[in-house]
Amino acid sequence: MTEPVRERLLAAADELFYAHGMRAVSADKIIDRVGTTKVTFYRHFRTKDDLVVAYLERRAAAERAGVEAVIAAAGGDAAEVVRLMSAGLGEMACLPGFRGCPFINAAAEYPDADSAVRRLVDSHRDWWKKMFQDLVAPLGLPAHTGDDLMVLRDGAMVAGYLSEADAAAGAFLRAGLALIGDPRDG
């Protein structure tokens, strides 16, 4: 059975938006990739920005599931979560075609804070910050530690795209462990 058209449009958007940028990829290019018509495309997505939002929602759901799996695997231990995230970031950044964080990329392409894309980016980043805050709360650390860990993650994602993945992952690990006060070596 063939995958539904909506799913094929999202899969093509995921591949093309991440590789080339959301503004650079036209709806026509996605339509051509899927082998459908404009009428069918617009039946599923009223505008291209609606497709961008759906693409980012799909990415957000995947990220959240991955982070929740890491937290579960670490038994909620903040230092172990930082270690596992660092290892995952290093692996991800070594994959061919890695272009950093799709949400940072989307924020750069959609600077209008009132756009649906930017609101979704902000909402997902708020989720990350709260997750980090909840992770470090049992350690008695201030709430801003979640913001600090978010900045470290952002920096590691950008550095992983711009330079050596191992250096970015290692920096996230060392700085994250120092931030949460874990005396073990990163």
Side-chain angles (χ1 to χ4, degrees), residues 88-150:
L89 188 131
E91 289 172 19
M92 215 175 20
C94 286
L95 293 173
F98 179 74
R99 291 197 65 240
C101 175
F103 298 91
I104 294 172
N105 297 345
E109 290 193 51
Y110 288 83
D112 178 4
D114 293 327
S115 75
V117 172
R118 191 56 183 268
R119 286 192 313 267
L120 188 139
V121 168
D122 293 344
S123 172
H124 185 59
R125 292 180 59 74
D126 289 344
W127 177 88
W128 267 100
K129 290 176 193 176
K130 182 176 180 335
M131 178 279 301
F132 279 132
Q133 289 166 351
D134 291 348
L135 182 68
V136 300
L139 303 175
L141 297 171
H144 70 75
T145 306
D147 293 336
D148 298 344
L149 286 166
M150 186 68 194

Side-chain angles (χ1 to χ4, degrees), residues 4-18:
V5 174
R6 181 174 175 30
E7 289 306 310
R8 292 192 344 252
L9 289 166
L10 279 167
D14 189 73
E15 176 190 336
L16 295 171
F17 288 164
Y18 189 69

Side-chain angles (χ1 to χ4, degrees), residues 74 76-84 135 139 173 177 180 182 184:
D77 176 80
E80 187 61 17
V81 169
V82 169
R83 284 184 182 81
L84 292 172
L135 182 68
L139 303 175
L173 176 61
L177 292 178
I180 63 173
D182 190 295
R184 294 174 280 181

